[in-house]
Amino acid sequence: MYIYDEIDQKIVDQRVEQFRGQTQRFLAGKLSEDEFRALRLRNGLYVQRYAPMLRVAVPYGLLSSKQMRMFAHIARKYDRDYGHFSTRQNIQYNWPKLEEVPDILADLATVQMHAIQTSGNCVRNITTDHFAGVARDEIVDSFVWCEIIRQWSTFHPEFNWLPRKFKIAVNGATSDRAATEVHDIGLHAVRADDGAVGFRVVIGGGLGRAPMVGHTIREFLPWQHLLTYLEAALRIYNRHGRRDNIHKARIKFVVKEHGVQRFREEVEAEWLQLKDGPNTLIQAEVDRIERRFTRPAYAKLPGRDAALDALLAADTAFRHWHMRNVHPHKVPGYAAVTLSLKQTGVPPGDATSAQLDAVADLADRYSFGELRVSHEQNLILADVALTDLHALWGEAKKLGMATPNIGLLTNIICCPGGDFCSLANAKSIPVAQSIQERFDNLDYLHDIGEIDLNISGCMNACGHHHVGHIGILGVDKGGEEWYQIEIGGNQGEVRPGMRASLGKVIGPSFARAEVPDVIERLIECYLENRDSEAERFIDVAHRIGTEPFKDHVYGKADPQSPRRRRQLAAS
Amino acid sequence: MAKLIRNRRVVADNWLLLELGAGGALPPVPAEGDVIVPLTVWLARRDALAVRLGQTGVWLDSNEGAETVAADLRRLPLIAVRFAAFTDGRGYSTARLLRERYGYSGEIRAIGDVGRDHLLNMQRCGIDAFALREGEDAEGALQAFEELPASYQASVVEPQPLFRRRVAG
């Protein structure tokens, strides 16, 4: 955890008072609806279909048990006893009262939390790998760099009214678990031959209605120049981004319209003016930020635990959970554990106040009092001793957070959709649930293997449907809810060598009730075509293309399909 | 006289803001008095304007950057930056570039959709005068400068970012 110093605390406290004043002026009729809208949005407050929605920042997805208990407190006191973890690694409350929001923010500030820039046309929450600091393939601890960028971007005077929202993701490992190629700016830590740390800078990715994969505009940016380079890129965007059309206002359109080469030259030219100026980072600051992060006091443990091995051999259910929800750790004797928020029957990413409190307790007892939120909308205990895994599994099961589905079909990323969101064209949560219900057989799920299924209730793509191996998009047709299916999307280089890609629509959309059947057909087609269990759905989709899937779904299937041929040969 | 905030005080405004006429026609410039002319007028007549009685400033629209007047800064006692809408943040970059890149030390005045809740960031970007939009309470708006006194970034009013101030302190 990054621990605030006095100034960090003061900045958050000041903002609570500023926002309280803005809210009071609005309620007193001294601030127009339009103006207050823009002001409240940059403090995470939307007015939604039924009530306001408050999005609270979880900077880069890292939080303490104390902060998690505060989330539970807020859910109980100001909301309907639950919160929703979003794909931005934040938490959202769907039922707060507008006039109580300043009090919620004041409560949050007591545990070093806030809702600053969780919406609005400004730099949003910086996101990163949920295994930062513990991953075996770590290059740098991305949390440190995220915090440096968080401070730089918090109330940046020049970039507070950008053409559109701006999302920065940082990846500090070899694998990209932060989907950095589909962000406005993605930063990839690189270590030069001499050990010097720098970043590869990717610009112009993004989802939404015109999804694009970003472009590398600089292969190696020495860390000292991180902020001046960001400042240059943001300035080019602030000056040249389109303001006449909200649908063409993201930085990706500037990159597209100017062309990558020209855009790069513009940023580099601006950067030359700022380079080596006061915003040039210094080692003392990096060290200071690093020291303000608490670090787990790991015990010296053996890399294997015989008792654990025996339990794994004896208990299939535990083994399944271990296989899917337990992840390797860079410190011997420890593992990272995902607590799944994807239990069938519960909206993906939702957690009750009782669960939030209970998870905070688990974090205290098993993981040095810290937690992470993943962009896949699960919670993570990053530092669990191997000797504790079985006990933790037992407790997580009681909480309904041990569904062994991480990386599997039912670990669905899903936006709040038409049940809550006023932008949505269609509901998304019931679709997720109907798919989870259809694929409730664990053996079958494990046989299908790794697959990302993402659902968005509209083309704003909060559910990241473009980068799901299977993506589902809710669309409105003459007032009715329909669902378009894409396949072949990939969130990024989770496995080295496979860059981010965007899904392709397989054909006309479906009614909600048809969706589970369609998913089943896609899975059938995959199983028929895979060359081995090691070949994942996405690998097959990239190898054979969308046509065979399309044919299988829309009924033009070749009777001589591989499976059919095998059946014929067997008979 | 319209009310203006200059250097955190409410003062009377003696400057006349000239707009382009219909179809972009250049307006007549009065021979006397202090005027702020549109950039097009300035670029077309700057030598004539320099010898009139009274001061001449220029105003930049949201899409007109600092570089358009960079060569004329010593002749300009005032540059106004227009915010077409408060959500249009280009003027922040314009002001900052005028101060930091081109070293402009005259008055930079925010005009257009300028309200209390935007003064602070404008000031941090080097704007020192604010022609508030209709209906704003100028005296009340002065409180805005007291909000958020601590900040992380380097800015025109605080040329060192917090991390360098920390080291120095």
Side-chain angles (χ1 to χ4, degrees):
Chain A
M1 277 303 303
Y2 175 80
I3 305 297
Y4 281 8
D5 73 357
E6 278 171 31
I7 304 177
D8 299 318
Q9 184 68 48
K10 191 172 160 197
I11 286 172
V12 168
D13 290 342
Q14 288 169 174
R15 176 56 172 148
V16 174
E17 287 320 304
Q18 186 190 43
F19 189 72
R20 192 183 293 281
Q22 290 169 344
T23 306
Q24 283 166 353
R25 276 186 285 133
F26 170 68
L27 292 171
K30 290 181 187 161
L31 200 53
S32 75
E33 185 89 42
D34 272 357
E35 180 122 2
F36 184 59
R37 182 178 169 276
L39 295 174
R40 65 170 161 73
L41 275 179
R42 62 203 41 243
N43 214 30
L45 185 61
Y46 289 72
V47 172
Q48 289 289 35
R49 190 155 284 198
Y50 303 109
M53 184 274 273
L54 179 67
R55 182 182 294 150
V56 176
V58 181
Y60 34 91
L62 179 65
L63 76 166
S64 69
S65 55
K66 191 175 169 190
Q67 293 173 325
M68 189 61 102
R69 288 194 185 92
M70 178 55 79
F71 286 168
H73 160 79
I74 289 166
R76 266 191 305 271
K77 183 168 174 191
Y78 302 101
D79 207 275
R80 295 192 179 173
D81 209 30
Y82 71 96
H84 171 80
F85 290 100
S86 79
T87 51
R88 299 291 307 156
Q89 303 181 293
N90 292 322
I91 189 170
Q92 301 181 169
Y93 292 101
N94 283 303
W95 307 95
K97 293 190 187 68
L98 177 71
E99 56 276 18
E100 288 183 348
V101 170
D103 296 331
I104 299 177
L105 297 173
D107 284 357
L108 286 168
T110 64
V111 295
Q112 311 190 346
M113 299 210 103
H114 57 77
I116 294 165
Q117 290 169 214
T118 53
S119 182
N121 294 338
C122 47
V123 180
R124 302 287 190 88
N125 187 25
I126 317 299
T127 53
T128 192
D129 179 6
H130 44 271
F131 295 135
V134 305
R136 285 191 182 160
D137 63 343
E138 174 177 294
I139 299 166
V140 298
D141 180 348
S142 54
F143 285 150
V144 171
W145 300 99
C146 287
E147 177 59 25
I148 287 170
I149 300 169
R150 184 192 75 84
Q151 296 193 7
W152 165 79
S153 64
T154 298
F155 306 131
H156 195 294
E158 187 178 346
F159 306 131
N160 216 358
W161 298 97
L162 296 168
R164 197 76 179 87
K165 59 188 166 184
F166 205 90
K167 298 176 179 180
I168 301 175
V170 183
N171 177 39
T174 314
S175 298
D176 179 6
R177 286 173 288 263
T180 52
E181 288 177 300
V182 287
H183 280 74
D184 294 288
I185 291 185
L187 298 164
H188 290 253
V190 185
R191 218 174 255 283
D193 293 340
D194 62 358
V197 170
F199 296 90
R200 179 162 70 85
V201 183
V202 180
I203 296 198
L207 300 175
R209 47 184 82 208
M212 297 182 201
V213 174
H215 303 272
T216 296
I217 67 160
R218 188 166 243 279
E219 288 291 345
F220 188 81
L221 176 71
W223 61 268
Q224 293 88 339
H225 303 300
L226 180 62
L227 298 184
T228 50
Y229 203 85
L230 287 175
E231 199 127 346
L234 267 288
R235 182 171 283 167
I236 297 297
Y237 173 51
N238 191 41
R239 297 191 63 193
H240 302 296
R242 284 184 65 171
R243 293 177 186 267
D244 60 333
N245 182 344
I246 188 177
H247 302 309
K248 295 199 167 172
R250 296 283 289 267
I251 196 173
K252 59 193 174 189
F253 294 100
V254 183
V255 178
K256 195 177 166 203
E257 279 170 30
H258 291 200
V260 181
Q261 185 54 34
R262 185 182 139 201
F263 182 80
R264 176 188 292 123
E265 286 164 10
E266 285 167 337
V267 172
E268 294 271 329
E270 182 62 35
W271 178 55
L272 282 180
Q273 301 274 351
L274 301 172
K275 187 172 173 282
D276 301 322
N279 280 315
T280 306
L281 276 167
I282 48 180
Q283 188 65 49
E285 172 66 358
V286 180
D287 294 345
R288 190 189 71 83
I289 298 273
E290 204 155 6
R291 279 196 307 273
R292 295 206 70 82
F293 274 90
T294 56
R295 301 288 173 184
Y298 295 115
K300 266 213 157 47
L301 296 173
R304 282 196 83 109
D305 180 60
L308 172 66
D309 292 344
L311 287 163
L312 286 170
D315 188 336
T316 315
F318 180 50
R319 194 164 61 243
H320 274 152
W321 178 77
H322 186 272
M323 195 193 305
R324 298 313 326 173
N325 297 31
V326 176
H327 319 279
H329 197 289
K330 69 178 183 186
V331 177
Y334 286 87
V337 170
T338 302
L339 299 171
S340 173
L341 293 179
K342 309 295 178 64
Q343 188 187 21
T344 300
V346 178
D350 274 15
T352 63
S353 68
Q355 281 179 314
L356 297 173
D357 274 333
V359 165
D361 289 344
L362 291 183
D364 281 339
R365 283 187 288 128
Y366 294 110
S367 196
F368 301 93
E370 287 187 5
L371 297 127
R372 289 110 185 269
V373 183
S374 74
H375 81 274
E376 293 176 344
Q377 301 174 288
N378 292 308
L379 298 177
I380 285 155
L381 298 177
D383 302 286
V384 182
L386 297 182
T387 47
D388 285 337
L389 285 175
H390 193 261
L392 172 59
W393 174 60
E395 300 205 41
K397 262 199 306 190
K398 282 185 220 148
L399 296 171
M401 301 174 108
T403 313
N405 62 352
I406 304 310
L408 301 183
L409 182 64
T410 56
N411 180 36
I412 297 170
I413 294 181
C414 181
C415 72
D419 290 297
F420 298 99
C421 179
S422 51
L423 302 173
N425 289 323
K427 293 189 181 188
S428 48
I429 291 169
V431 178
Q433 288 180 346
S434 65
I435 295 167
Q436 287 172 329
E437 279 158 18
R438 177 67 61 92
F439 291 88
D440 66 345
N441 181 321
L442 257 183
D443 289 333
Y444 187 44
L445 269 185
H446 282 259
D447 182 39
I448 296 166
E450 285 185 20
I451 182 167
D452 295 342
L453 192 152
N454 299 354
I455 308 175
S456 303
C458 76
M459 56 218 292
N460 290 309
C462 296
H464 298 180
H465 65 279
H466 300 298
V467 290
H469 301 168
I470 297 177
I472 302 177
L473 167 66
V475 291
D476 175 88
K477 279 195 194 169
E480 282 180 48
E481 297 180 349
W482 289 80
Y483 297 87
Q484 206 173 64
I485 313 280
E486 297 180 7
I487 64 167
N490 181 37
Q491 61 171 299
E493 237 176 325
V494 180
R495 290 191 177 183
M498 188 174 226
R499 303 254 336 249
S501 59
L502 304 168
K504 290 197 184 80
V505 178
I506 60 168
S509 48
F510 300 94
R512 192 193 299 168
E514 295 173 302
V515 173
D517 290 335
V518 176
I519 305 304
E520 203 160 343
R521 302 287 279 172
L522 290 172
I523 296 299
E524 279 167 15
C525 181
Y526 154 64
L527 292 174
E528 277 171 11
N529 285 284
R530 73 177 175 189
D531 57 22
S532 73
E533 283 186 17
E535 196 182 30
R536 300 169 303 163
F537 180 93
I538 183 66
D539 304 322
V540 172
H542 284 177
R543 177 168 60 81
I544 67 177
T546 50
E547 282 306 312
F549 289 92
K550 196 171 168 173
D551 291 348
H552 196 74
V553 168
Y554 292 95
K556 285 171 277 179
D558 173 8
Q560 293 292 311
S561 71
R563 175 176 276 190
R564 181 84 182 122
R565 277 200 299 275
R566 278 200 298 276
Q567 282 167 348
L568 288 173
S571 59
Chain B
M1 283 294 164
K3 283 282 169 63
L4 179 84
I5 294 176
R6 180 186 288 135
N7 296 324
R8 299 197 183 192
R9 286 212 188 90
V10 180
V11 297
D13 180 15
N14 304 317
W15 291 78
L16 177 69
L17 186 79
L18 296 179
E19 307 261 0
L20 289 177
L26 302 191
V29 177
E32 293 181 24
D34 299 341
V35 295
I36 310 173
V37 302
L39 177 65
T40 359
V41 173
W42 173 259
L43 294 178
R45 306 186 194 152
R46 62 189 135 191
D47 292 328
L49 290 170
V51 296
R52 57 184 289 280
L53 300 170
Q55 305 182 85
T56 309
V58 65
W59 65 267
L60 304 178
D61 212 339
S62 302
N63 60 341
E64 294 164 341
E67 58 283 344
T68 56
V69 290
D72 298 335
L73 296 183
R74 276 191 291 177
R75 303 162 73 176
L76 289 166
L78 181 151
I79 299 171
V81 175
R82 179 167 173 265
F83 290 81
F86 71 84
T87 50
D88 185 334
R90 286 176 284 187
Y92 295 94
S93 290
T94 305
R96 211 166 164 200
L97 286 168
L98 283 171
R99 293 282 189 227
E100 292 180 346
R101 183 145 315 157
Y102 302 111
Y104 182 63
S105 57
E107 175 175 323
I108 302 183
R109 175 182 295 199
I111 60 172
D113 193 4
V114 179
R116 174 213 153 117
D117 291 287
H118 315 297
L119 303 187
L120 196 60
N121 282 330
M122 289 177 177
Q123 180 195 237
R124 293 181 65 203
C125 287
I127 294 173
D128 52 5
F130 309 87
L132 296 173
R133 67 192 169 204
E134 283 294 303
E136 288 282 323
D137 163 19
E139 293 290 342
L142 291 177
Q143 292 168 24
F145 296 109
E146 310 303 324
E147 294 170 353
L148 308 185
S151 58
Y152 289 115
Q153 303 79 13
S155 66
V156 173
V157 292
E158 183 55 86
Q160 298 292 316
L162 180 62
F163 64 81
R164 284 181 189 271
R165 283 177 263 147
R166 274 184 164 123
V167 174

